[in-house]
């Protein structure tokens, strides 16, 4: 799975697009995936800080982790 495929799955699952960002950076109060040196980062961004950050070697594993986080959090539903 890549970020484009992840977005399609999130849309089908009814995940609020305001709950996540697939471009990286530090958006406020969003689950985020970001490409970095040597791999991918997944974290929750709030007030310019990254929390619960994890690093993955591949886009596929990072997308899977982000999907699991979003599905597990009931506040992400539209």
């Amino acid at each position: 799975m890549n970020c484009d495929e992840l977005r399609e799955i999130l849309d089908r699952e009814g995940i609020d697009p305001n709950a996540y960002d697939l471009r990286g950076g530090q958006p406020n109060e969003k689950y985020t995936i970001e490409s970095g040196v040597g791999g991918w980062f997944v974290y929750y961004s709030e007030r310019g800080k990254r929390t619960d950050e994890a690093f993955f070697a591949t886009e596929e594993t990072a997308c899977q982790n982000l999907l699991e986080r979003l599905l597990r959090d009931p506040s992400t539903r539209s």
Side-chain angles (χ1 to χ4, degrees):
M1 164 182 4
N2 62 34
C3 288
D4 291 332
E5 294 166 329
L6 175 59
R7 183 183 315 276
E8 291 175 15
I9 293 168
L10 295 173
D11 287 346
R12 272 197 321 262
E13 292 292 328
I15 301 297
D16 184 349
N18 293 315
Y20 64 90
D21 190 294
L22 303 180
R23 297 169 303 205
Q26 293 178 317
N28 194 36
E29 297 185 8
K30 293 186 182 199
Y31 289 94
T32 306
I33 187 170
E34 180 175 313
S35 174
V37 176
W40 294 79
F41 296 91
V42 175
Y43 54 90
Y44 187 77
S45 180
E46 184 175 17
R47 295 186 203 133
K49 295 188 182 203
R50 297 176 177 205
T51 59
D52 198 22
E53 185 171 13
F55 176 79
F56 301 91
T58 67
E59 181 179 12
E60 181 176 357
T61 56
C63 286
Q64 184 62 43
N65 179 267
L66 181 57
L67 175 61
E68 291 168 4
R69 291 179 190 216
L70 289 163
L71 291 175
R72 198 171 44 233
D73 184 344
S75 72
T76 63
R77 302 292 174 162
S78 308

